[in-house]
Amino acid sequence: MLYAQFASGFKAGGFAIATCDYSYEPEVLDAYELGFKATWFDRLLRSNGAVFHYDYSNLQVEEVNIPNAFVNNAQAKGFGADFDLLLIPGSHWVLAANITYLDATYTGFFNNDNAATLESGLGLSEAEDLSGNRLNRSPEWAMGWSIQYTRPLQNWGELSLRAEGSFKTEYYLREFSTPTDRQDAHAIFNFFLNYSTPIQGLTGW
């Protein structure tokens, strides 16, 4: 199945709770997407892929400086693609993998680094032009995988073993993209042993 879609939505504006007379504008997003969904080999393999483009107007960027919190508006765009596979080779196994590429940057954003101001004690810094900086928490590459094996235990329910992992390239926690804002590339691994009881209505204790 091939598909194309366009969606437009908004997030309401408002006022900062911690600061008097500080307002921010509604956020508007226009999203474009072109993709496909397919099954192969008598539905043993499923694959999905898409390319997308996001166009933000007045993107709401939250900034917390204890005890105050602010929301600033920025212009931003994002382009990316994602692809995922799901393989079910038999009644016991399920394997999955996914990869996403994202190029998301601010196209118009001036803001003061209040954290740097507090650290230096030199007073309010001048607004910086942050155009070209990556959006907060937006790694360029993200990948994941999972393997699950499920074994029925006849009248005793079923037992499943699952292993999964994910990897993200570096990204920035704030819009200023300073070294202290950077989250290095990292991987996360999880392992699960799950038991499903055949008793209906059992919710635990």
Side-chain angles (χ1 to χ4, degrees), residues 6-9 27-32 52-59 75-79 107:
F6 166 76
S8 183
E27 173 185 315
V28 178
L29 169 63
D30 292 333
Y32 307 81
F52 54 87
H53 174 74
Y54 292 162
D55 188 359
Y56 290 95
S57 296
N58 293 321
L59 173 67
Q75 311 307 312
K77 289 185 177 181
F79 170 81
T107 58

Side-chain angles (χ1 to χ4, degrees), residues 29-129:
L29 169 63
D30 292 333
Y32 307 81
E33 184 173 333
L34 177 67
F36 73 91
K37 299 178 182 292
T39 58
W40 313 84
F41 311 116
D42 196 23
R43 299 188 177 183
L44 294 180
L45 177 65
R46 304 175 189 175
S47 60
N48 304 308
V51 293
F52 54 87
H53 174 74
Y54 292 162
D55 188 359
Y56 290 95
S57 296
N58 293 321
L59 173 67
Q60 295 174 5
V61 183
E62 185 177 14
E63 181 180 358
V64 178
N65 291 300
I66 298 175
N68 297 325
F70 305 90
V71 176
N72 302 298
N73 289 117
Q75 311 307 312
K77 289 185 177 181
F79 170 81
D82 59 63
F83 181 76
D84 64 79
L85 288 172
L86 178 67
L87 176 63
I88 307 177
S91 59
H92 300 302
W93 292 94
V94 177
L95 295 82
N98 63 79
I99 184 170
T100 300
Y101 168 77
L102 178 62
D103 180 16
T105 57
Y106 297 106
T107 58
F109 193 15
F110 285 83
N111 197 15
N112 302 85
D113 189 351
N114 293 321
T117 298
L118 292 173
E119 183 177 354
S120 66
L122 299 178
L124 186 63
S125 61
E126 294 185 1
E128 303 177 43
D129 184 359

Side-chain angles (χ1 to χ4, degrees), residues 63 72 106 109-115 128 130 133-134 136 172-179 181:
E63 181 180 358
N72 302 298
Y106 297 106
F109 193 15
F110 285 83
N111 197 15
N112 302 85
D113 189 351
N114 293 321
E128 303 177 43
L130 305 177
N133 287 6
R134 293 189 63 84
N136 302 0
Y172 291 92
L173 301 172
R174 299 193 308 145
E175 61 271 24
F176 302 97
S177 299
T178 65
D181 296 329

